[in-house]
Amino acid sequence: MNVDGGVGWLSVEHCSMLLKPSLLLDQSNFRFSLETRIFRARNSTNSYMAPPILSLALPSDTGRVLSIQSHTVQGYVGNKSAVFPLQLLGYDVDPINSVQFSNHTGYPTFKGQVLNGQQLWELIEGLEGNELLFYTHLLTGYIGSESFLNTVLQVVNKLRSINPELIYVCDPVMGDEGKLYVPQELVSVYREKVVPVASMLTPNQFEAELLTGFRIQSEGQGREACRLLHAAGPSKVIITSINIDGNLLLIGSHEKEKGEPPRQFKIVIPKIPAYFTGTGDLMTALLLGWSNKYRDNLEIAAELAVSSLQALLHRTLSDYKNAGHDSQSTSLEIRLIQSQDDIRNPQVNFKAEIYS
């Protein structure tokens, strides 16, 4: 026989997997649905409560992340590039896919759907209605419309009304190497509304320039851009790639006390003669993961993140070469699954240099 659960039909055999046999006194009268943080009896006099959702009842030492990013069926970009690494580092991660495409847009064709702001908010309301909206971290990446970005800001406010200590890690994906990927109006929304509520920002050089209105042509100017961003809101800023005189750098900055001089550092990154997809999404996820483990040592978190990413990129490049593919002819899909050991336990081959 079946039991009507209000959200679909479950067999008694399925129910018995959730309930202790000794408590299944009258299966024909038992109705249940998913509500609040645990399964509760509904439309029945039976008050039995099934097991709690453990990610809420027994949260991990690292945290619970809501990740709002794109998704592809094939390949690793957006959430496909961020969720698995964070899980390897011990985080519970709940993804919301801002888009769902067959593959990334660098292929000749792609198909799929785009989530709008109203649909995003409906998902948030669904979580809130079941008291599932407690998160320690919010992670956002590429966002393609102003309305969706404004809804993300509402999500930030909602999550902080539940957990005032929420850490918001924002990768302000807008463009690269002087080319804007998003509508122009998103730049002002990021600058005026998103930056002030972010806990950590991970722009590239071009995005840092857009957010500050400050041209970056030297290490000193990169450090000054970080200070300008601190003044606007976030305590942690990592400009993930700065090209200075042909050299590629990461510049990080941690303002431990508001108004105090930040602790700043750089990591020299070797250039790899290839273009990879999903690396920015992966880098921000790694920075979130490690910076939460080393809260007062952003430079250590950056060393681990850069070392993981570089090991993965070299493996990816090697595998494509072994397959006989010209690595400079197309963008390369990263070898994420094959690099999980480098994500979980990276060998630190790239060290930070602290600015005096």
Side-chain angles (χ1 to χ4, degrees):
M1 68 184 293
N2 289 322
V3 177
D4 176 8
V7 291
W9 288 84
L10 294 176
S11 68
V12 168
E13 289 77 24
H14 289 152
C15 293
S16 65
M17 295 169 66
L18 297 173
L19 307 175
K20 294 180 180 179
S22 61
L23 296 175
L24 288 173
L25 301 177
D26 185 358
Q27 295 172 335
S28 63
N29 291 327
F30 193 86
R31 296 167 61 88
F32 67 94
S33 67
L34 190 63
E35 182 179 347
T36 186
R37 294 186 181 180
I38 57 179
F39 296 98
R40 290 182 175 176
R42 186 175 71 179
N43 301 327
S44 170
T45 57
N46 192 332
S47 61
Y48 174 78
M49 292 186 179
I53 295 173
L54 291 181
S55 65
L56 289 169
L58 298 173
S60 66
D61 292 336
T62 45
R64 187 166 183 254
V65 182
L66 179 64
S67 180
I68 304 176
Q69 300 194 59
S70 59
H71 170 86
T72 57
V73 176
Q74 192 280 330
Y76 294 96
V77 299
N79 272 330
K80 283 283 290 289
S81 188
V83 172
F84 179 63
L86 284 169
Q87 290 171 331
L88 285 176
L89 293 176
Y91 294 81
D92 286 305
V93 188
D94 291 346
I96 292 180
N97 298 325
S98 56
V99 305
Q100 178 166 269
F101 290 161
S102 55
N103 43 265
H104 70 71
T105 57
Y107 282 88
T109 64
F110 66 94
K111 300 286 186 179
Q113 302 81 38
V114 178
L115 197 73
N116 62 38
Q118 179 181 347
Q119 292 166 329
L120 169 62
W121 193 248
E122 286 173 356
L123 293 173
I124 297 300
E125 288 180 326
L127 292 168
E128 183 181 25
N130 292 304
E131 297 183 16
L132 299 171
L133 211 52
F134 183 91
Y135 291 97
T136 58
H137 296 76
L138 172 66
L139 172 62
T140 61
Y142 174 78
I143 294 170
S145 73
E146 183 178 4
S147 63
F148 196 92
L149 185 55
N150 281 320
T151 304
V152 167
L153 288 164
Q154 295 177 37
V155 173
V156 175
N157 291 334
K158 174 63 70 175
L159 294 182
R160 283 193 170 143
S161 72
I162 297 168
N163 176 19
E165 302 302 314
L166 175 86
I167 296 171
Y168 174 26
V169 178
C170 174
D171 182 6
V173 181
M174 292 181 286
D176 197 10
E177 297 181 348
K179 181 180 179 181
L180 197 65
Y181 298 157
V182 299
Q184 180 66 44
E185 56 266 24
L186 263 68
V187 176
S188 60
V189 178
Y190 271 112
R191 184 189 301 126
E192 297 167 12
K193 298 180 180 180
V194 178
V195 170
V197 300
S199 309
M200 181 165 77
L201 278 178
T202 62
N204 60 32
Q205 180 176 357
F206 177 60
E207 291 158 349
E209 291 174 340
L210 289 174
L211 292 173
T212 60
F214 187 79
R215 184 74 170 163
I216 301 173
Q217 296 178 307
S218 67
E219 289 184 45
Q221 290 171 339
R223 296 174 64 189
E224 179 60 24
C226 290
R227 287 189 284 265
L228 292 172
L229 290 169
H230 286 315
S235 61
K236 295 178 180 179
V237 177
I238 293 183
I239 304 178
T240 54
S241 59
I242 298 181
N243 196 326
I244 304 294
D245 298 327
N247 298 311
L248 194 61
L249 306 175
L250 174 150
I251 292 182
S253 187
H254 184 189
E255 186 182 57
K256 298 186 178 184
E257 297 291 337
K258 199 66 178 176
E260 294 294 319
R263 181 177 174 87
Q264 297 186 315
F265 60 90
K266 70 175 180 180
I267 298 177
V268 178
I269 303 172
K271 287 187 176 181
I272 299 176
Y275 177 76
F276 305 86
T277 58
T279 54
D281 307 316
L282 173 58
M283 183 63 177
T284 296
L286 292 171
L287 288 168
L288 185 162
W290 289 115
S291 67
N292 194 57
K293 294 172 182 281
Y294 296 93
R295 296 195 177 193
D296 291 325
N297 292 282
L298 187 60
E299 63 272 17
I300 294 178
E303 289 174 350
L304 289 160
V306 169
S307 296
S308 284
L309 181 59
Q310 288 295 309
L312 176 146
L313 295 182
H314 282 286
R315 175 174 287 103
T316 299
L317 191 62
S318 176
D319 286 353
Y320 272 103
K321 288 181 178 179
N322 289 338
H325 179 74
D326 180 1
S327 61
Q328 298 187 46
S329 62
T330 59
S331 60
L332 308 182
E333 300 272 13
I334 58 175
R335 298 286 276 172
L336 189 67
I337 305 303
Q338 295 75 12
S339 303
Q340 56 187 286
D341 289 340
D342 295 312
I343 294 169
R344 189 187 290 110
N345 296 299
Q347 181 177 346
V348 178
N349 294 320
F350 299 89
K351 300 293 291 184
E353 179 183 335
I354 307 298
Y355 289 112
S356 59

